[in-house]
């Protein structure tokens, strides 16, 4: 079999893994409800009592929902499968480690993307106007992949306890929210604040969303997409490489 | 590319293809820290053979299976599975695996677990349906096929796991202690199934620490201990080994020298066990006759006399302790 058809076949099997994850790990009532409620409440905790317009709030809310849902479940999948003793069978079947990880990323992406449509739909229902919908759509997709890959990077630590991984990933996730221009827009940040915010991929998605919803971003859309693209590539490669190394150690 | 029932070979006019190898392993080594789990082992398994890998806890059985099924990488040596190197997609596609400690997905039904495996192996849907129906009947779980695996008993789960390894109709099966911890009925069902698979032309690599199981099922048995293969023999050969291990246990009413018992015909070894002597022999009957002759000649009384039949375990222990 030539390498191209192998590639196609492995891509198809990634989808099989993604469907399996959605079915087994994501499509549970509490997971879905928590996935949307948690970021919404967290956001409201900061926004309530302040004089923010919906145009200002929605980009931040969208960013937060996408970021938290895309990284909510995926870090725990590999530890879960280790603990439930289903991983060895997957590794021994005709899948490369990358196929399995890509499947995990795809499932996480689908979950994050679909849940983000809820606040977006709510915004549209409030007759918010979206400038350049294509950019918002593209941003959601790219950022969804980016955050999902980041989630998978977290799960590469060969810990068996899902709770350990969840704690580790939360320790990174929460600070990220504060440095991504969600509560304080980029342009109001002091110089050092801006520099810190540039290391967060969420900054660029929030900026894209501000462009499209508020009609005022800080960076240019091109820079935002380029940065998100670079982060996605970096996280994806790191996630794949790390898992290739640690997957056999889980068994 | 999906494995057919009969292996394709332009010259295969007989179903038994002598000389064609399913597994070629040479110098395979795996270390964990300073523990050598598998120490440069070499062996070959012919197609359609049931090859047993027998050894005590910690012998290196699971480590070997994991290398052969591509779960972990060896530190050295070579393993070829049906022409593909172990761990390659090509080798994995042709193999069915029952890992030692494994589970089906508990939150979906047995049927859906089988369908998931079929998708992972790229089995066309219609074919997968047919095969799954057949397998569920075979493992006697047909009425429970739609139930969540969470509701299955241990034996039911293990039978399902075997079925999951077979949905792709693999040419070679790796079974790591497939019957351990099961009741007699489930174990027998699984063993019967393994026999049947082999008669259908599948190669089976089976690990076990039960001598009896290896004996019943396998065409050849490799005995592994502390990462080394101690012997590779057909079961008959192992049985012959056991024959040497019958013994007669005797105690006398007065002191007897060990050396004088040594000289008795038919006695190969003498061992003192407390106030008794254990005489090892391949023919206990004759050994007793010569023992009685000796006692009447020497005017010694026999207090107790027992014949001991060695268990397969004894033979196994003798082999692995060497
Ligand atoms: N992941 C691991 N890390 C460290 N040591 C290991 C690991 N896996 C196996 N070992 C060691 O390698 C040796 C062989 O283990 P292995 O699991 O292959 O034995 P086994 O023959 O399958 O035993 P059992 O009958 O108990 O299943 C043991 O000494 C074990 O402690
Ligand atoms: Mg084992």
């Amino acid at each position: 079999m030539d390498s191209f058809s192998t590639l196609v076949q492995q891509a198809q099997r990634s989808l099989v893994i993604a469907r399996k994850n959605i079915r087994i790990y994501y499509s549970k009532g509490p997971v879905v409800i928590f996935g949307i409620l948690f970021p919404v409440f967290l956001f409201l905790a900061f926004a309530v009592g302040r004089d923010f317009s919906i145009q200002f709030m929605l980009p931040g809310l969208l960013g937060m929902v996408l970021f938290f849902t895309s990284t909510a479940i995926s870090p725990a999948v590999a530890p879960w499968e280790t603990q439930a003793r289903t991983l060895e069978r997957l590794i021994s079947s005709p899948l490369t480690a990358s196929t399995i990880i890509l499947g995990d990323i795809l499932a996480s992406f689908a979950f994050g993307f679909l849940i983000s449509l809820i606040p977006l739909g709510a915004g549209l229902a409030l007759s918010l106007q979206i400038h350049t919908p294509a950019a918002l759509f593209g941003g959601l997709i790219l950022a969804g992949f980016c955050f999902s890959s980041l989630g998978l990077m977290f799960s590469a630590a060969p810990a068996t306890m899902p709770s350990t991984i969840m704690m580790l990933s939360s320790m990174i996730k929460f600070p990220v929210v504060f440095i991504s221009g969600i509560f304080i827009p980029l342009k109001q940040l002091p110089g050092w604040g801006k520099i810190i915010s540039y290391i967060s991929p969420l900054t660029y998605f929030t900026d894209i969303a501000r462009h499209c919803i508020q009609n005022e971003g800080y960076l240019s859309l091109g820079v935002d997409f380029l940065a998100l693209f670079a982060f996605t590539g970096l996280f994806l490669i790191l996630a794949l490489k790390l898992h290739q190394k640690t997957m056999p150690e889980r068994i | 590319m999906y494995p057919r029932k009969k292996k394709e070979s332009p010259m295969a006019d007989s179903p038994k293809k002598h000389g064609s190898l399913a597994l070629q392993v040479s110098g395979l080594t795996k270390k964990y820290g300073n523990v050598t789990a598998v120490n440069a082992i070499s062996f070959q398994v012919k197609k359609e053979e049931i090859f047993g890998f027998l050894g005590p806890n910690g012998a290196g059985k699971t480590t070997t299976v994991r290398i052969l099924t591509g779960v972990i990488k060896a530190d050295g040596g070579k393993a070829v599975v049906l022409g593909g190197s172990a761990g390659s997609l090509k080798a994995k596609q042709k193999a069915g695996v029952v890992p030692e400690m494994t589970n089906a997905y508990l939150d979906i039904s047995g049927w859906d677990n089988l369908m998931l495996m079929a998708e992972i192996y790229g089995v066309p849907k219609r074919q997968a349906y047919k095969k799954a129906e057949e397998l569920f009947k075979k493992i006697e779980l047909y009425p429970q096929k739609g139930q969540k695996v969470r509701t299955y008993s241990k034996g039911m789960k293990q039978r399902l796991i075997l079925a999951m390894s077979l949905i792709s109709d693999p040419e070679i099966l790796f079974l790591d202690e497939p019957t351990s911890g099961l009741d007699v009925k489930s174990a027998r069902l699984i063993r019967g199934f393994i026999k049947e698979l082999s008669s259908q032309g599948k190669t089976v690599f089976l690990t076990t620490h039960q001598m009896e199981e290896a004996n019943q099922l396998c065409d050849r048995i490799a005995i592994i201990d502390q990462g080394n293969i101690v012997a590779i023999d057909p079961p008959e050969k192992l049985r012959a080994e056991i024959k040497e291990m019958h013994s007669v246990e005797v105690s006398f009413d007065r002191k007897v020298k060990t050396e004088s018992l040594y000289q008795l015909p038919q006695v190969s070894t003498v061992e003192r066990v407390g106030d008794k002597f254990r005489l090892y022999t391949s023919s206990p009957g004759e050994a007793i006759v010569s023992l009685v002759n000796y006692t009447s000649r020497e005017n010694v009384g026999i207090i107790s006399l027992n014949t001991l039949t060695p268990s397969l375990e004894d033979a196994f222990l003798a082999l692995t302790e060497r």
Side-chain angles (χ1 to χ4, degrees), chain B residues 19-46:
Chain B
S20 46
L21 293 172
L23 272 178
Q24 290 161 276
V25 175
S26 62
L28 209 62
T29 301
K30 177 75 190 179
K31 292 196 173 84
Y32 289 110
N34 50 15
V35 177
T36 305
V38 173
N39 189 9
I41 57 169
S42 302
F43 60 90
Q44 299 187 326
V45 176
K46 291 195 275 291

PDB file of all heavy atoms in Angstrom, chain B residues 19-46:
ATOM      1  N   GLY B  19       6.596 -24.747   6.244  1.00  0.00           N
ATOM      2  CA  GLY B  19       7.776 -23.910   6.067  1.00  0.00           C
ATOM      3  C   GLY B  19       7.481 -22.436   6.023  1.00  0.00           C
ATOM      4  O   GLY B  19       8.392 -21.626   6.109  1.00  0.00           O
ATOM      5  N   SER B  20       6.218 -22.020   5.904  1.00  0.00           N
ATOM      6  CA  SER B  20       5.978 -20.588   5.907  1.00  0.00           C
ATOM      7  C   SER B  20       5.794 -20.116   7.346  1.00  0.00           C
ATOM      8  O   SER B  20       5.067 -20.717   8.126  1.00  0.00           O
ATOM      9  CB  SER B  20       4.762 -20.247   5.055  1.00  0.00           C
ATOM     10  OG  SER B  20       3.711 -21.122   5.368  1.00  0.00           O
ATOM     11  N   LEU B  21       6.476 -19.052   7.660  1.00  0.00           N
ATOM     12  CA  LEU B  21       6.512 -18.619   9.052  1.00  0.00           C
ATOM     13  C   LEU B  21       5.580 -17.448   9.302  1.00  0.00           C
ATOM     14  O   LEU B  21       5.468 -16.539   8.496  1.00  0.00           O
ATOM     15  CB  LEU B  21       7.935 -18.210   9.422  1.00  0.00           C
ATOM     16  CG  LEU B  21       8.948 -19.353   9.430  1.00  0.00           C
ATOM     17  CD1 LEU B  21      10.352 -18.805   9.614  1.00  0.00           C
ATOM     18  CD2 LEU B  21       8.616 -20.359  10.510  1.00  0.00           C
ATOM     19  N   ALA B  22       4.909 -17.501  10.441  1.00  0.00           N
ATOM     20  CA  ALA B  22       4.054 -16.387  10.839  1.00  0.00           C
ATOM     21  C   ALA B  22       4.829 -15.398  11.695  1.00  0.00           C
ATOM     22  O   ALA B  22       4.613 -14.190  11.633  1.00  0.00           O
ATOM     23  CB  ALA B  22       2.847 -16.916  11.610  1.00  0.00           C
ATOM     24  N   LEU B  23       5.738 -15.919  12.493  1.00  0.00           N
ATOM     25  CA  LEU B  23       6.502 -15.075  13.410  1.00  0.00           C
ATOM     26  C   LEU B  23       7.978 -15.446  13.343  1.00  0.00           C
ATOM     27  O   LEU B  23       8.319 -16.627  13.382  1.00  0.00           O
ATOM     28  CB  LEU B  23       6.042 -15.325  14.850  1.00  0.00           C
ATOM     29  CG  LEU B  23       4.889 -14.534  15.442  1.00  0.00           C
ATOM     30  CD1 LEU B  23       4.612 -15.029  16.855  1.00  0.00           C
ATOM     31  CD2 LEU B  23       5.257 -13.068  15.480  1.00  0.00           C
ATOM     32  N   GLN B  24       8.805 -14.435  13.219  1.00  0.00           N
ATOM     33  CA  GLN B  24      10.245 -14.671  13.290  1.00  0.00           C
ATOM     34  C   GLN B  24      10.826 -13.697  14.303  1.00  0.00           C
ATOM     35  O   GLN B  24      10.798 -12.486  14.090  1.00  0.00           O
ATOM     36  CB  GLN B  24      10.906 -14.415  11.939  1.00  0.00           C
ATOM     37  CG  GLN B  24      10.564 -15.434  10.885  1.00  0.00           C
ATOM     38  CD  GLN B  24      10.854 -14.892   9.509  1.00  0.00           C
ATOM     39  OE1 GLN B  24      10.035 -14.192   8.931  1.00  0.00           O
ATOM     40  NE2 GLN B  24      12.043 -15.179   9.011  1.00  0.00           N
ATOM     41  N   VAL B  25      11.321 -14.232  15.364  1.00  0.00           N
ATOM     42  CA  VAL B  25      11.830 -13.389  16.447  1.00  0.00           C
ATOM     43  C   VAL B  25      13.281 -13.747  16.687  1.00  0.00           C
ATOM     44  O   VAL B  25      13.619 -14.919  16.817  1.00  0.00           O
ATOM     45  CB  VAL B  25      11.018 -13.625  17.740  1.00  0.00           C
ATOM     46  CG1 VAL B  25      11.622 -12.856  18.900  1.00  0.00           C
ATOM     47  CG2 VAL B  25       9.566 -13.214  17.534  1.00  0.00           C
ATOM     48  N   SER B  26      14.156 -12.736  16.671  1.00  0.00           N
ATOM     49  CA  SER B  26      15.543 -13.057  16.970  1.00  0.00           C
ATOM     50  C   SER B  26      16.190 -11.993  17.851  1.00  0.00           C
ATOM     51  O   SER B  26      16.123 -10.800  17.570  1.00  0.00           O
ATOM     52  CB  SER B  26      16.343 -13.257  15.682  1.00  0.00           C
ATOM     53  OG  SER B  26      16.340 -12.076  14.943  1.00  0.00           O
ATOM     54  N   GLY B  27      16.749 -12.464  18.924  1.00  0.00           N
ATOM     55  CA  GLY B  27      17.513 -11.610  19.835  1.00  0.00           C
ATOM     56  C   GLY B  27      16.718 -10.497  20.484  1.00  0.00           C
ATOM     57  O   GLY B  27      17.255  -9.460  20.870  1.00  0.00           O
ATOM     58  N   LEU B  28      15.415 -10.723  20.635  1.00  0.00           N
ATOM     59  CA  LEU B  28      14.544  -9.673  21.166  1.00  0.00           C
ATOM     60  C   LEU B  28      14.866  -9.377  22.630  1.00  0.00           C
ATOM     61  O   LEU B  28      14.928 -10.274  23.465  1.00  0.00           O
ATOM     62  CB  LEU B  28      13.092 -10.124  21.037  1.00  0.00           C
ATOM     63  CG  LEU B  28      12.052  -9.021  20.879  1.00  0.00           C
ATOM     64  CD1 LEU B  28      12.307  -8.250  19.590  1.00  0.00           C
ATOM     65  CD2 LEU B  28      10.663  -9.619  20.855  1.00  0.00           C
ATOM     66  N   THR B  29      15.068  -8.102  22.926  1.00  0.00           N
ATOM     67  CA  THR B  29      15.471  -7.706  24.277  1.00  0.00           C
ATOM     68  C   THR B  29      14.685  -6.490  24.724  1.00  0.00           C
ATOM     69  O   THR B  29      14.438  -5.576  23.937  1.00  0.00           O
ATOM     70  CB  THR B  29      16.976  -7.351  24.300  1.00  0.00           C
ATOM     71  OG1 THR B  29      17.709  -8.490  23.866  1.00  0.00           O
ATOM     72  CG2 THR B  29      17.437  -6.971  25.703  1.00  0.00           C
ATOM     73  N   LYS B  30      14.263  -6.512  25.988  1.00  0.00           N
ATOM     74  CA  LYS B  30      13.620  -5.330  26.561  1.00  0.00           C
ATOM     75  C   LYS B  30      14.047  -5.186  28.016  1.00  0.00           C
ATOM     76  O   LYS B  30      13.947  -6.119  28.804  1.00  0.00           O
ATOM     77  CB  LYS B  30      12.099  -5.460  26.479  1.00  0.00           C
ATOM     78  CG  LYS B  30      11.331  -4.312  27.104  1.00  0.00           C
ATOM     79  CD  LYS B  30      11.367  -3.081  26.234  1.00  0.00           C
ATOM     80  CE  LYS B  30      10.801  -1.870  26.964  1.00  0.00           C
ATOM     81  NZ  LYS B  30      10.851  -0.663  26.129  1.00  0.00           N
ATOM     82  N   LYS B  31      14.550  -4.012  28.339  1.00  0.00           N
ATOM     83  CA  LYS B  31      14.963  -3.739  29.719  1.00  0.00           C
ATOM     84  C   LYS B  31      14.077  -2.668  30.326  1.00  0.00           C
ATOM     85  O   LYS B  31      13.685  -1.716  29.660  1.00  0.00           O
ATOM     86  CB  LYS B  31      16.409  -3.229  29.737  1.00  0.00           C
ATOM     87  CG  LYS B  31      17.438  -4.270  29.350  1.00  0.00           C
ATOM     88  CD  LYS B  31      18.826  -3.794  29.780  1.00  0.00           C
ATOM     89  CE  LYS B  31      19.875  -4.851  29.571  1.00  0.00           C
ATOM     90  NZ  LYS B  31      20.413  -4.876  28.210  1.00  0.00           N
ATOM     91  N   TYR B  32      13.743  -2.838  31.589  1.00  0.00           N
ATOM     92  CA  TYR B  32      13.109  -1.774  32.368  1.00  0.00           C
ATOM     93  C   TYR B  32      14.081  -1.409  33.476  1.00  0.00           C
ATOM     94  O   TYR B  32      14.242  -2.172  34.421  1.00  0.00           O
ATOM     95  CB  TYR B  32      11.793  -2.246  32.978  1.00  0.00           C
ATOM     96  CG  TYR B  32      10.676  -2.436  31.981  1.00  0.00           C
ATOM     97  CD1 TYR B  32      10.203  -3.695  31.658  1.00  0.00           C
ATOM     98  CD2 TYR B  32      10.093  -1.333  31.365  1.00  0.00           C
ATOM     99  CE1 TYR B  32       9.173  -3.857  30.745  1.00  0.00           C
ATOM    100  CE2 TYR B  32       9.063  -1.489  30.455  1.00  0.00           C
ATOM    101  CZ  TYR B  32       8.605  -2.744  30.155  1.00  0.00           C
ATOM    102  OH  TYR B  32       7.580  -2.911  29.258  1.00  0.00           O
ATOM    103  N   GLY B  33      14.735  -0.284  33.355  1.00  0.00           N
ATOM    104  CA  GLY B  33      15.759   0.063  34.344  1.00  0.00           C
ATOM    105  C   GLY B  33      16.815  -1.023  34.349  1.00  0.00           C
ATOM    106  O   GLY B  33      17.364  -1.347  33.296  1.00  0.00           O
ATOM    107  N   ASN B  34      17.067  -1.622  35.509  1.00  0.00           N
ATOM    108  CA  ASN B  34      18.054  -2.707  35.502  1.00  0.00           C
ATOM    109  C   ASN B  34      17.413  -4.102  35.492  1.00  0.00           C
ATOM    110  O   ASN B  34      18.085  -5.092  35.669  1.00  0.00           O
ATOM    111  CB  ASN B  34      19.051  -2.563  36.665  1.00  0.00           C
ATOM    112  CG  ASN B  34      18.348  -2.348  37.988  1.00  0.00           C
ATOM    113  OD1 ASN B  34      17.131  -2.588  38.065  1.00  0.00           O
ATOM    114  ND2 ASN B  34      19.062  -1.925  39.009  1.00  0.00           N
ATOM    115  N   VAL B  35      16.085  -4.132  35.261  1.00  0.00           N
ATOM    116  CA  VAL B  35      15.409  -5.427  35.092  1.00  0.00           C
ATOM    117  C   VAL B  35      15.395  -5.774  33.606  1.00  0.00           C
ATOM    118  O   VAL B  35      14.936  -4.991  32.792  1.00  0.00           O
ATOM    119  CB  VAL B  35      13.948  -5.372  35.593  1.00  0.00           C
ATOM    120  CG1 VAL B  35      13.239  -6.696  35.344  1.00  0.00           C
ATOM    121  CG2 VAL B  35      13.909  -5.009  37.066  1.00  0.00           C
ATOM    122  N   THR B  36      15.931  -6.936  33.267  1.00  0.00           N
ATOM    123  CA  THR B  36      15.825  -7.395  31.884  1.00  0.00           C
ATOM    124  C   THR B  36      14.566  -8.233  31.773  1.00  0.00           C
ATOM    125  O   THR B  36      14.541  -9.392  32.176  1.00  0.00           O
ATOM    126  CB  THR B  36      17.068  -8.205  31.483  1.00  0.00           C
ATOM    127  OG1 THR B  36      18.216  -7.397  31.744  1.00  0.00           O
ATOM    128  CG2 THR B  36      17.037  -8.561  30.011  1.00  0.00           C
ATOM    129  N   ALA B  37      13.509  -7.618  31.242  1.00  0.00           N
ATOM    130  CA  ALA B  37      12.216  -8.300  31.170  1.00  0.00           C
ATOM    131  C   ALA B  37      12.251  -9.400  30.123  1.00  0.00           C
ATOM    132  O   ALA B  37      11.670 -10.468  30.303  1.00  0.00           O
ATOM    133  CB  ALA B  37      11.111  -7.305  30.864  1.00  0.00           C
ATOM    134  N   VAL B  38      12.915  -9.116  29.008  1.00  0.00           N
ATOM    135  CA  VAL B  38      13.059 -10.095  27.935  1.00  0.00           C
ATOM    136  C   VAL B  38      14.517 -10.065  27.503  1.00  0.00           C
ATOM    137  O   VAL B  38      15.054  -9.021  27.165  1.00  0.00           O
ATOM    138  CB  VAL B  38      12.141  -9.754  26.744  1.00  0.00           C
ATOM    139  CG1 VAL B  38      12.418 -10.673  25.582  1.00  0.00           C
ATOM    140  CG2 VAL B  38      10.673  -9.857  27.149  1.00  0.00           C
ATOM    141  N   ASN B  39      15.150 -11.238  27.539  1.00  0.00           N
ATOM    142  CA  ASN B  39      16.597 -11.288  27.371  1.00  0.00           C
ATOM    143  C   ASN B  39      16.994 -12.012  26.084  1.00  0.00           C
ATOM    144  O   ASN B  39      17.158 -13.225  26.069  1.00  0.00           O
ATOM    145  CB  ASN B  39      17.198 -11.991  28.598  1.00  0.00           C
ATOM    146  CG  ASN B  39      18.701 -11.909  28.620  1.00  0.00           C
ATOM    147  OD1 ASN B  39      19.298 -11.190  27.828  1.00  0.00           O
ATOM    148  ND2 ASN B  39      19.315 -12.664  29.521  1.00  0.00           N
ATOM    149  N   ALA B  40      17.105 -11.259  25.020  1.00  0.00           N
ATOM    150  CA  ALA B  40      17.592 -11.795  23.740  1.00  0.00           C
ATOM    151  C   ALA B  40      16.943 -13.119  23.348  1.00  0.00           C
ATOM    152  O   ALA B  40      17.626 -14.095  23.073  1.00  0.00           O
ATOM    153  CB  ALA B  40      19.115 -11.940  23.781  1.00  0.00           C
ATOM    154  N   ILE B  41      15.614 -13.140  23.334  1.00  0.00           N
ATOM    155  CA  ILE B  41      14.948 -14.391  22.983  1.00  0.00           C
ATOM    156  C   ILE B  41      14.794 -14.527  21.463  1.00  0.00           C
ATOM    157  O   ILE B  41      14.671 -13.540  20.748  1.00  0.00           O
ATOM    158  CB  ILE B  41      13.558 -14.526  23.643  1.00  0.00           C
ATOM    159  CG1 ILE B  41      12.647 -13.357  23.266  1.00  0.00           C
ATOM    160  CG2 ILE B  41      13.681 -14.612  25.159  1.00  0.00           C
ATOM    161  CD1 ILE B  41      11.199 -13.575  23.666  1.00  0.00           C
ATOM    162  N   SER B  42      14.838 -15.758  21.014  1.00  0.00           N
ATOM    163  CA  SER B  42      14.652 -16.059  19.596  1.00  0.00           C
ATOM    164  C   SER B  42      13.730 -17.259  19.450  1.00  0.00           C
ATOM    165  O   SER B  42      13.845 -18.218  20.195  1.00  0.00           O
ATOM    166  CB  SER B  42      15.995 -16.401  18.942  1.00  0.00           C
ATOM    167  OG  SER B  42      16.895 -15.333  19.092  1.00  0.00           O
ATOM    168  N   PHE B  43      12.801 -17.172  18.528  1.00  0.00           N
ATOM    169  CA  PHE B  43      11.963 -18.327  18.202  1.00  0.00           C
ATOM    170  C   PHE B  43      11.221 -18.036  16.911  1.00  0.00           C
ATOM    171  O   PHE B  43      11.217 -16.909  16.424  1.00  0.00           O
ATOM    172  CB  PHE B  43      10.967 -18.645  19.332  1.00  0.00           C
ATOM    173  CG  PHE B  43      10.015 -17.515  19.655  1.00  0.00           C
ATOM    174  CD1 PHE B  43       8.790 -17.404  18.995  1.00  0.00           C
ATOM    175  CD2 PHE B  43      10.347 -16.572  20.607  1.00  0.00           C
ATOM    176  CE1 PHE B  43       7.920 -16.376  19.294  1.00  0.00           C
ATOM    177  CE2 PHE B  43       9.481 -15.527  20.909  1.00  0.00           C
ATOM    178  CZ  PHE B  43       8.268 -15.429  20.250  1.00  0.00           C
ATOM    179  N   GLN B  44      10.644 -19.096  16.367  1.00  0.00           N
ATOM    180  CA  GLN B  44       9.843 -18.927  15.155  1.00  0.00           C
ATOM    181  C   GLN B  44       8.517 -19.653  15.341  1.00  0.00           C
ATOM    182  O   GLN B  44       8.461 -20.662  16.016  1.00  0.00           O
ATOM    183  CB  GLN B  44      10.583 -19.535  13.959  1.00  0.00           C
ATOM    184  CG  GLN B  44      11.922 -18.848  13.720  1.00  0.00           C
ATOM    185  CD  GLN B  44      12.581 -19.321  12.453  1.00  0.00           C
ATOM    186  OE1 GLN B  44      12.458 -20.475  12.075  1.00  0.00           O
ATOM    187  NE2 GLN B  44      13.281 -18.413  11.794  1.00  0.00           N
ATOM    188  N   VAL B  45       7.485 -19.091  14.751  1.00  0.00           N
ATOM    189  CA  VAL B  45       6.176 -19.737  14.813  1.00  0.00           C
ATOM    190  C   VAL B  45       5.692 -19.948  13.394  1.00  0.00           C
ATOM    191  O   VAL B  45       5.718 -19.030  12.571  1.00  0.00           O
ATOM    192  CB  VAL B  45       5.166 -18.868  15.600  1.00  0.00           C
ATOM    193  CG1 VAL B  45       3.780 -19.502  15.589  1.00  0.00           C
ATOM    194  CG2 VAL B  45       5.638 -18.655  17.030  1.00  0.00           C
ATOM    195  N   LYS B  46       5.296 -21.180  13.111  1.00  0.00           N
ATOM    196  CA  LYS B  46       4.812 -21.495  11.777  1.00  0.00           C
ATOM    197  C   LYS B  46       3.372 -21.039  11.620  1.00  0.00           C
ATOM    198  O   LYS B  46       2.631 -20.921  12.599  1.00  0.00           O
ATOM    199  CB  LYS B  46       4.881 -23.016  11.542  1.00  0.00           C
ATOM    200  CG  LYS B  46       6.294 -23.534  11.441  1.00  0.00           C
ATOM    201  CD  LYS B  46       6.337 -24.933  10.857  1.00  0.00           C
ATOM    202  CE  LYS B  46       6.130 -26.016  11.892  1.00  0.00           C
ATOM    203  NZ  LYS B  46       7.214 -26.179  12.868  1.00  0.00           N
TER     204      LYS B  46
END
